[in-house]
Amino acid sequence: MAAKLDVPVTDHTYDDCKLMEVALQHNLPIEIGLIEFNKINQKLGLNLETVRELMSKYLEIARDSEDGRITLHKFAQYLHLPVTAVLEEVFSLYDRSGTGVIDFREYIIGLSLVSQPSNTEETIQSAFKMFDPEGTGHITLERLGKIMYSAFGMDALQIRQLFRDVDVDGLGFITYDQFSAHAQKKPEYAKLFHVYQTLHSAREKVQQADEAERRLEYGLDPPQLGLTRSPDVELRERRDGAAAAEEFETAVAGDLRSLTPTAGAKVKVA
């Protein structure tokens, strides 16, 4: 029929029409439901019922958006997080087309190929231990706040909201079961922690490289480096008087500032 009418053939099915109806019922553009369900089913093994459930999650994030797509701001709002480099990195993994928004098809693929594989029991246990290093079996608001502020820059309001979302029983602390249940509900957090740990590890390597460079430059810590102290440093160490010491400290401070990367500079980590 398509050949006779000289029109292209798409991979859309009757199931796509059903999803379009769901989108229409939520006052979203009907094209949100056009995901080429047959391909999604074959490649990801998702049936229609599962995709319907994912659409409910998608609508929770995309609600009130004008075109029914998820913006970076909506993504951050859903996870109670500020927009940071870590969040932008995860968002870009979902935004396969690079348009700056996530449509329903991209959300399904991102959740299936990016977040869900990271959300293993091992990952959840590792993350819980990071919040509960003493092994008490629970996470306090204070401990949650320290980690989430350090890792993602969350403010006090966002931290309290996240704590309430996880502590569904109102215990005043978070148990492992609660933590695991929330991780299953929002698997995006697992990928966020993976990206954070990768970036954190890269920063540590850069800092270690910078420290080693400074020690080499100024002849510090020679026993560990197997170096002899430079003549300049030997001379400075022999100088007496507060004026000479102040002069030396001022010079070193200036040199260190010159070694510090400028804002926005990119550092390549081997």
Side-chain angles (χ1 to χ4, degrees):
M1 182 183 294
K4 289 291 185 182
L5 295 174
D6 193 27
V7 294
V9 177
T10 68
D11 206 12
H12 298 111
T13 64
Y14 179 61
D15 291 320
D16 286 292
C17 295
K18 291 181 178 179
L19 294 171
M20 289 167 65
E21 287 181 2
V22 175
L24 191 61
Q25 290 169 4
H26 288 84
N27 299 317
L28 293 176
I30 59 173
E31 61 266 24
I32 290 295
L34 289 173
I35 62 170
E36 295 183 307
F37 176 80
N38 194 41
K39 287 184 179 179
I40 294 293
N41 175 257
Q42 291 177 358
K43 293 182 178 180
L44 301 179
L46 302 178
N47 58 33
L48 181 60
E49 187 60 33
T50 300
V51 172
R52 281 179 176 272
E53 292 174 0
L54 292 178
M55 178 169 270
S56 296
K57 293 187 66 174
Y58 176 85
L59 293 172
E60 184 182 350
I61 307 173
R63 62 186 174 192
D64 302 326
S65 64
E66 294 181 2
D67 61 356
R69 291 169 175 79
I70 300 172
T71 63
L72 177 60
H73 174 72
K74 285 286 184 183
F75 195 65
Q77 194 176 53
Y78 170 69
L79 296 171
H80 303 303
L81 292 172
V83 176
T84 60
V86 175
L87 188 72
E88 288 176 343
E89 177 67 22
V90 174
F91 184 87
S92 69
L93 295 175
Y94 278 72
D95 179 20
R96 294 160 58 87
S97 60
T99 58
V101 292
I102 302 170
D103 61 31
F104 183 45
R105 191 172 193 275
E106 289 176 323
Y107 176 73
I108 292 174
I109 295 172
L111 205 60
S112 300
L113 301 182
V114 176
S115 292
Q116 290 288 11
S118 299
N119 203 34
T120 63
E121 184 67 22
E122 182 181 358
T123 299
I124 295 172
Q125 289 177 357
S126 176
F128 189 83
K129 287 178 182 176
M130 184 169 67
F131 289 102
D132 179 30
E134 295 84 12
T136 62
H138 64 266
I139 301 170
T140 63
L141 174 61
E142 180 183 9
R143 187 65 189 173
L144 180 76
K146 285 181 179 179
I147 298 292
M148 297 306 286
Y149 174 77
S150 173
F152 306 114
M154 292 179 72
D155 60 31
L157 183 61
Q158 292 167 330
I159 292 166
R160 282 195 293 271
Q161 181 61 57
L162 176 61
F163 188 86
R164 285 194 293 267
D165 287 351
V166 183
D167 179 23
V168 292
D169 302 309
L171 301 174
F173 54 84
I174 297 171
T175 65
Y176 179 77
D177 288 342
Q178 291 174 329
F179 187 85
S180 179
H182 194 73
Q184 296 297 336
K185 181 181 177 182
K186 295 187 176 181
E188 295 87 355
Y189 279 115
K191 191 62 183 180
L192 280 165
F193 275 108
H194 270 186
V195 173
Y196 165 72
Q197 288 172 341
T198 300
L199 292 176
H200 183 68
S201 177
R203 279 194 214 101
E204 285 186 336
K205 288 181 180 179
V206 171
Q207 289 170 357
Q208 289 170 3
D210 286 346
E211 179 64 20
E213 183 178 352
R214 292 189 189 100
R215 290 185 175 279
L216 284 168
E217 180 76 17
Y218 296 105
L220 302 177
D221 212 10
Q224 286 82 346
L225 294 173
L227 301 174
T228 57
R229 193 172 293 275
S230 68
D232 288 342
V233 174
E234 289 284 356
L235 178 60
R236 289 180 187 125
E237 286 181 341
R238 294 192 188 100
R239 289 177 180 171
D240 296 322
E246 183 178 353
E247 178 185 346
F248 171 61
E249 290 174 3
T250 302
V252 171
D255 287 340
L256 290 178
R257 281 195 295 272
S258 70
L259 290 172
T260 303
T262 55
K266 294 182 179 178
V267 180
K268 184 177 180 181
V269 179

